[in-house]
Amino acid sequence: MKISTWLATRHPVLEYIGMAAAGLLYAIALKYLVFPAKVILTGFEGIAAALSYFFKSPSLFLIIYGISQAILIVFAYKKISRTFAIRTALTVGMVIVALPLLPELKVAESQQERLILVLFGGIISGLAKAMALRLRSSTGDEDVLGAWFAMKYLKPVGSIAVISAAISCVFGLVMEYFTYKQIEPVINTLMYTSIFIFTGAETLNNFFRKFKLVMITAFGKQPDAIGKAITTAAPHRTYTIQPGTGGYSSEPVHLVRTIVTHEELPEVLDALERDCPEAFHFHHDIEGISRSYYIKPIG
């Protein structure tokens, strides 16, 4: 059983603790890694961060962040699900509470360590986002839009981060130019921001794989047993049976194919190994699937 399912069905209190922990981890990434590196975040966070850098006011970030996230939570309530919206409110609330309460620490001694801040900031913030999404929550901002976008278009959640970064990045770079009146700091910030955004998006996509799809192909003489193993592990999935000839034995065999998410993949493979040990199987990632393919909503 998946960790998130185990928490939800047996220990709901621990699940809410996990959401709060995701918010705390995200706040830690912001305060100790992202803000010191002065990179531009994505979406409304990016606009809030750019204004707080320009006016040298950390509290300004909290104000803009809080207002924008409240709007997005209402959007999530109407367009995604009530559960997802409430859980997102808990995670975002932890971020807002933790940021001003976390002690002041200097984790980098010089500007030369900016790249390390950016890389670790992207990794840790991406982990926090993935942790929240696996618990049917989010850290807000582009994650809310990403969850809706992924459900509607069957695309990885992290993809929307790159798209939403465009607007906030342009705004942040303009503010950077107004601050220094030179182009060099703007280019420097752009490079580090790009590293942060793609590092965070890749981390998120690798640890939250609900909307990444994979095709499993199994060869065997008992197609019904293979199909039963698939539907036992993933009851809402179907499969296709095709007759064929074994390449090694030249004997009649059947090909059984099914499409599942990366989240479902381990359970299906375990079922095939357990119930059909004689079957040969392989899998590969696929793209461009029809929107009619069903994926259980996040919330």
Short mmCIF file of all heavy atoms in Angstrom, two decimals, residues 29-67:
data_model
loop_
_atom_site.label_atom_id
_atom_site.label_comp_id
_atom_site.label_asym_id
_atom_site.label_seq_id
_atom_site.Cartn_x
_atom_site.Cartn_y
_atom_site.Cartn_z
N ALA A 29 13.09 26.12 3.03
CA ALA A 29 13.74 26.34 1.74
C ALA A 29 13.69 27.81 1.34
O ALA A 29 14.68 28.37 0.85
CB ALA A 29 13.07 25.47 0.67
N LEU A 30 12.55 28.45 1.56
CA LEU A 30 12.41 29.86 1.21
C LEU A 30 13.34 30.74 2.04
O LEU A 30 14.09 31.57 1.50
CB LEU A 30 10.96 30.31 1.40
CG LEU A 30 9.91 29.78 0.43
CD1 LEU A 30 8.53 30.32 0.79
CD2 LEU A 30 10.25 30.14 -1.01
N LYS A 31 13.30 30.56 3.36
CA LYS A 31 14.01 31.48 4.25
C LYS A 31 15.52 31.33 4.18
O LYS A 31 16.25 32.33 4.21
CB LYS A 31 13.54 31.27 5.69
CG LYS A 31 14.17 32.27 6.67
CD LYS A 31 13.31 32.50 7.86
CE LYS A 31 13.83 33.63 8.73
NZ LYS A 31 12.91 33.98 9.82
N TYR A 32 16.01 30.10 4.12
CA TYR A 32 17.44 29.87 4.23
C TYR A 32 18.16 29.66 2.91
O TYR A 32 19.39 29.76 2.85
CB TYR A 32 17.71 28.66 5.13
CG TYR A 32 17.18 28.83 6.54
CD1 TYR A 32 16.41 27.84 7.13
CD2 TYR A 32 17.44 29.99 7.27
CE1 TYR A 32 15.91 28.00 8.41
CE2 TYR A 32 16.95 30.16 8.55
CZ TYR A 32 16.19 29.15 9.12
OH TYR A 32 15.69 29.32 10.40
N LEU A 33 17.41 29.41 1.84
CA LEU A 33 18.06 29.12 0.56
C LEU A 33 17.60 30.04 -0.57
O LEU A 33 18.42 30.61 -1.27
CB LEU A 33 17.79 27.65 0.17
CG LEU A 33 18.30 26.61 1.17
CD1 LEU A 33 17.76 25.22 0.82
CD2 LEU A 33 19.81 26.59 1.22
N VAL A 34 16.29 30.17 -0.73
CA VAL A 34 15.76 30.93 -1.86
C VAL A 34 15.94 32.43 -1.66
O VAL A 34 16.48 33.13 -2.52
CB VAL A 34 14.27 30.58 -2.09
CG1 VAL A 34 13.70 31.43 -3.23
CG2 VAL A 34 14.12 29.10 -2.40
N PHE A 35 15.45 32.96 -0.54
CA PHE A 35 15.54 34.40 -0.31
C PHE A 35 16.98 34.91 -0.25
O PHE A 35 17.29 35.95 -0.83
CB PHE A 35 14.79 34.78 0.96
CG PHE A 35 13.28 34.61 0.84
CD1 PHE A 35 12.47 34.54 1.97
CD2 PHE A 35 12.67 34.53 -0.39
CE1 PHE A 35 11.10 34.39 1.87
CE2 PHE A 35 11.29 34.37 -0.52
CZ PHE A 35 10.51 34.30 0.62
N PRO A 36 17.91 34.20 0.44
CA PRO A 36 19.30 34.68 0.43
C PRO A 36 19.92 34.70 -0.96
O PRO A 36 20.77 35.54 -1.26
CB PRO A 36 20.02 33.67 1.35
CG PRO A 36 18.96 33.15 2.24
CD PRO A 36 17.72 33.08 1.39
N ALA A 37 19.49 33.77 -1.83
CA ALA A 37 20.02 33.74 -3.19
C ALA A 37 19.36 34.77 -4.09
O ALA A 37 19.82 35.03 -5.20
CB ALA A 37 19.84 32.35 -3.79
N LYS A 38 18.24 35.35 -3.61
CA LYS A 38 17.49 36.37 -4.34
C LYS A 38 17.08 35.90 -5.74
O LYS A 38 17.16 36.66 -6.72
CB LYS A 38 18.29 37.68 -4.43
CG LYS A 38 18.46 38.37 -3.09
CD LYS A 38 18.94 39.78 -3.26
CE LYS A 38 19.13 40.52 -1.97
NZ LYS A 38 18.17 40.31 -0.93
N VAL A 39 16.65 34.65 -5.82
CA VAL A 39 16.11 34.17 -7.09
C VAL A 39 14.62 34.53 -7.15
O VAL A 39 13.99 34.80 -6.12
CB VAL A 39 16.29 32.65 -7.25
CG1 VAL A 39 17.76 32.29 -7.30
CG2 VAL A 39 15.59 31.90 -6.14
N ILE A 40 14.08 34.51 -8.35
CA ILE A 40 12.69 34.88 -8.55
C ILE A 40 11.84 33.61 -8.57
O ILE A 40 12.08 32.71 -9.38
CB ILE A 40 12.52 35.66 -9.87
CG1 ILE A 40 13.42 36.89 -9.87
CG2 ILE A 40 11.07 36.05 -10.08
CD1 ILE A 40 13.54 37.56 -11.21
N LEU A 41 10.88 33.54 -7.70
CA LEU A 41 10.00 32.38 -7.63
C LEU A 41 8.99 32.43 -8.78
O LEU A 41 8.93 33.41 -9.54
CB LEU A 41 9.27 32.36 -6.28
CG LEU A 41 10.17 32.16 -5.07
CD1 LEU A 41 9.45 32.60 -3.80
CD2 LEU A 41 10.59 30.70 -4.96
N THR A 42 8.18 31.38 -8.88
CA THR A 42 7.20 31.32 -9.96
C THR A 42 5.85 31.86 -9.50
O THR A 42 5.51 31.83 -8.32
CB THR A 42 7.03 29.88 -10.44
OG1 THR A 42 6.73 29.05 -9.32
CG2 THR A 42 8.30 29.37 -11.09
N GLY A 43 5.07 32.35 -10.45
CA GLY A 43 3.72 32.78 -10.17
C GLY A 43 3.63 33.99 -9.23
O GLY A 43 4.49 34.87 -9.24
N PHE A 44 2.58 34.01 -8.41
CA PHE A 44 2.38 35.12 -7.47
C PHE A 44 3.50 35.18 -6.44
O PHE A 44 3.84 36.26 -5.96
CB PHE A 44 1.03 34.96 -6.76
CG PHE A 44 -0.15 35.13 -7.66
CD1 PHE A 44 -0.94 34.05 -8.02
CD2 PHE A 44 -0.47 36.38 -8.18
CE1 PHE A 44 -2.02 34.20 -8.86
CE2 PHE A 44 -1.55 36.54 -9.02
CZ PHE A 44 -2.33 35.45 -9.37
N GLU A 45 4.07 34.04 -6.10
CA GLU A 45 5.22 34.03 -5.18
C GLU A 45 6.36 34.85 -5.75
O GLU A 45 7.06 35.56 -5.02
CB GLU A 45 5.70 32.60 -4.96
CG GLU A 45 4.79 31.73 -4.12
CD GLU A 45 5.33 30.33 -3.99
OE1 GLU A 45 5.92 29.83 -4.96
OE2 GLU A 45 5.17 29.73 -2.92
N GLY A 46 6.58 34.71 -7.05
CA GLY A 46 7.67 35.44 -7.69
C GLY A 46 7.46 36.94 -7.64
O GLY A 46 8.39 37.71 -7.39
N ILE A 47 6.22 37.36 -7.88
CA ILE A 47 5.90 38.79 -7.80
C ILE A 47 6.08 39.29 -6.37
O ILE A 47 6.66 40.36 -6.14
CB ILE A 47 4.47 39.03 -8.30
CG1 ILE A 47 4.37 38.67 -9.79
CG2 ILE A 47 4.04 40.47 -8.05
CD1 ILE A 47 2.97 38.73 -10.35
N ALA A 48 5.61 38.50 -5.41
CA ALA A 48 5.76 38.88 -4.00
C ALA A 48 7.23 38.97 -3.61
O ALA A 48 7.65 39.90 -2.91
CB ALA A 48 5.02 37.88 -3.11
N ALA A 49 8.03 37.98 -4.05
CA ALA A 49 9.45 37.97 -3.71
C ALA A 49 10.18 39.14 -4.35
O ALA A 49 11.00 39.81 -3.71
CB ALA A 49 10.08 36.65 -4.16
N ALA A 50 9.85 39.44 -5.63
CA ALA A 50 10.51 40.55 -6.33
C ALA A 50 10.23 41.88 -5.64
O ALA A 50 11.13 42.72 -5.48
CB ALA A 50 10.05 40.59 -7.79
N LEU A 51 8.99 42.08 -5.20
CA LEU A 51 8.65 43.32 -4.50
C LEU A 51 9.32 43.40 -3.13
O LEU A 51 9.77 44.47 -2.70
CB LEU A 51 7.13 43.43 -4.35
CG LEU A 51 6.36 43.70 -5.64
CD1 LEU A 51 4.85 43.58 -5.42
CD2 LEU A 51 6.71 45.08 -6.20
N SER A 52 9.42 42.25 -2.44
CA SER A 52 10.08 42.26 -1.13
C SER A 52 11.58 42.52 -1.27
O SER A 52 12.18 43.18 -0.42
CB SER A 52 9.84 40.94 -0.40
OG SER A 52 10.51 39.87 -1.03
N TYR A 53 12.20 42.02 -2.35
CA TYR A 53 13.61 42.32 -2.60
C TYR A 53 13.79 43.81 -2.87
O TYR A 53 14.72 44.45 -2.35
CB TYR A 53 14.13 41.54 -3.82
CG TYR A 53 14.12 40.03 -3.70
CD1 TYR A 53 14.05 39.23 -4.84
CD2 TYR A 53 14.19 39.40 -2.46
CE1 TYR A 53 14.04 37.84 -4.75
CE2 TYR A 53 14.18 38.01 -2.36
CZ TYR A 53 14.10 37.24 -3.51
OH TYR A 53 14.09 35.88 -3.42
N PHE A 54 12.90 44.36 -3.70
CA PHE A 54 13.03 45.76 -4.11
C PHE A 54 12.84 46.72 -2.93
O PHE A 54 13.61 47.66 -2.76
CB PHE A 54 12.00 46.07 -5.20
CG PHE A 54 12.08 47.47 -5.74
CD1 PHE A 54 13.05 47.82 -6.66
CD2 PHE A 54 11.17 48.45 -5.33
CE1 PHE A 54 13.13 49.12 -7.15
CE2 PHE A 54 11.23 49.73 -5.82
CZ PHE A 54 12.22 50.08 -6.73
N PHE A 55 11.82 46.44 -2.10
CA PHE A 55 11.54 47.32 -0.96
C PHE A 55 12.25 46.87 0.32
O PHE A 55 12.08 47.52 1.37
CB PHE A 55 10.03 47.38 -0.71
CG PHE A 55 9.27 48.10 -1.80
CD1 PHE A 55 8.50 47.39 -2.71
CD2 PHE A 55 9.32 49.49 -1.90
CE1 PHE A 55 7.80 48.04 -3.71
CE2 PHE A 55 8.61 50.15 -2.89
CZ PHE A 55 7.86 49.44 -3.81
N LYS A 56 13.02 45.77 0.22
CA LYS A 56 13.75 45.24 1.37
C LYS A 56 12.81 45.01 2.56
O LYS A 56 13.09 45.42 3.69
CB LYS A 56 14.90 46.17 1.77
CG LYS A 56 15.97 46.30 0.69
CD LYS A 56 17.09 47.22 1.13
CE LYS A 56 18.23 47.21 0.14
NZ LYS A 56 17.83 47.63 -1.22
N SER A 57 11.69 44.38 2.27
CA SER A 57 10.66 44.16 3.29
C SER A 57 10.17 42.71 3.24
O SER A 57 9.31 42.37 2.42
CB SER A 57 9.49 45.12 3.06
OG SER A 57 8.42 44.82 3.93
N PRO A 58 10.69 41.83 4.11
CA PRO A 58 10.22 40.43 4.16
C PRO A 58 8.72 40.33 4.46
O PRO A 58 8.05 39.42 3.98
CB PRO A 58 11.05 39.82 5.29
CG PRO A 58 12.27 40.68 5.37
CD PRO A 58 11.81 42.05 5.04
N SER A 59 8.21 41.27 5.26
CA SER A 59 6.79 41.22 5.60
C SER A 59 5.91 41.46 4.38
O SER A 59 4.77 40.97 4.32
CB SER A 59 6.46 42.25 6.69
OG SER A 59 6.77 43.56 6.25
N LEU A 60 6.41 42.20 3.40
CA LEU A 60 5.65 42.45 2.18
C LEU A 60 5.40 41.14 1.43
O LEU A 60 4.32 40.94 0.86
CB LEU A 60 6.39 43.45 1.28
CG LEU A 60 5.67 43.88 0.00
CD1 LEU A 60 4.34 44.54 0.33
CD2 LEU A 60 6.56 44.82 -0.82
N PHE A 61 6.39 40.26 1.44
CA PHE A 61 6.20 38.96 0.81
C PHE A 61 5.06 38.21 1.47
O PHE A 61 4.21 37.64 0.79
CB PHE A 61 7.49 38.13 0.90
CG PHE A 61 7.30 36.71 0.41
CD1 PHE A 61 7.40 36.41 -0.95
CD2 PHE A 61 7.01 35.68 1.30
CE1 PHE A 61 7.20 35.11 -1.40
CE2 PHE A 61 6.82 34.38 0.86
CZ PHE A 61 6.93 34.09 -0.50
N LEU A 62 5.03 38.20 2.80
CA LEU A 62 3.99 37.46 3.52
C LEU A 62 2.60 38.01 3.20
O LEU A 62 1.64 37.25 3.03
CB LEU A 62 4.24 37.54 5.02
CG LEU A 62 5.36 36.66 5.58
CD1 LEU A 62 5.58 36.96 7.05
CD2 LEU A 62 5.03 35.19 5.37
N ILE A 63 2.48 39.33 3.11
CA ILE A 63 1.18 39.94 2.83
C ILE A 63 0.68 39.56 1.44
O ILE A 63 -0.45 39.08 1.27
CB ILE A 63 1.27 41.47 2.96
CG1 ILE A 63 1.57 41.86 4.42
CG2 ILE A 63 -0.02 42.13 2.49
CD1 ILE A 63 1.89 43.31 4.62
N ILE A 64 1.53 39.76 0.42
CA ILE A 64 1.13 39.46 -0.95
C ILE A 64 0.92 37.96 -1.13
O ILE A 64 -0.03 37.52 -1.78
CB ILE A 64 2.19 39.99 -1.95
CG1 ILE A 64 2.32 41.51 -1.81
CG2 ILE A 64 1.81 39.60 -3.38
CD1 ILE A 64 3.40 42.11 -2.67
N TYR A 65 1.81 37.18 -0.53
CA TYR A 65 1.70 35.73 -0.62
C TYR A 65 0.38 35.24 0.00
O TYR A 65 -0.33 34.43 -0.60
CB TYR A 65 2.89 35.09 0.09
CG TYR A 65 2.85 33.58 0.17
CD1 TYR A 65 3.19 32.80 -0.92
CD2 TYR A 65 2.50 32.93 1.35
CE1 TYR A 65 3.16 31.41 -0.86
CE2 TYR A 65 2.47 31.55 1.44
CZ TYR A 65 2.81 30.79 0.33
OH TYR A 65 2.77 29.43 0.41
N GLY A 66 0.07 35.75 1.17
CA GLY A 66 -1.15 35.33 1.85
C GLY A 66 -2.41 35.66 1.06
O GLY A 66 -3.32 34.82 0.93
N ILE A 67 -2.47 36.88 0.51
CA ILE A 67 -3.65 37.29 -0.26
C ILE A 67 -3.80 36.46 -1.53
O ILE A 67 -4.88 35.96 -1.85
CB ILE A 67 -3.56 38.79 -0.61
CG1 ILE A 67 -3.63 39.64 0.67
CG2 ILE A 67 -4.67 39.18 -1.57
CD1 ILE A 67 -3.38 41.11 0.44
#
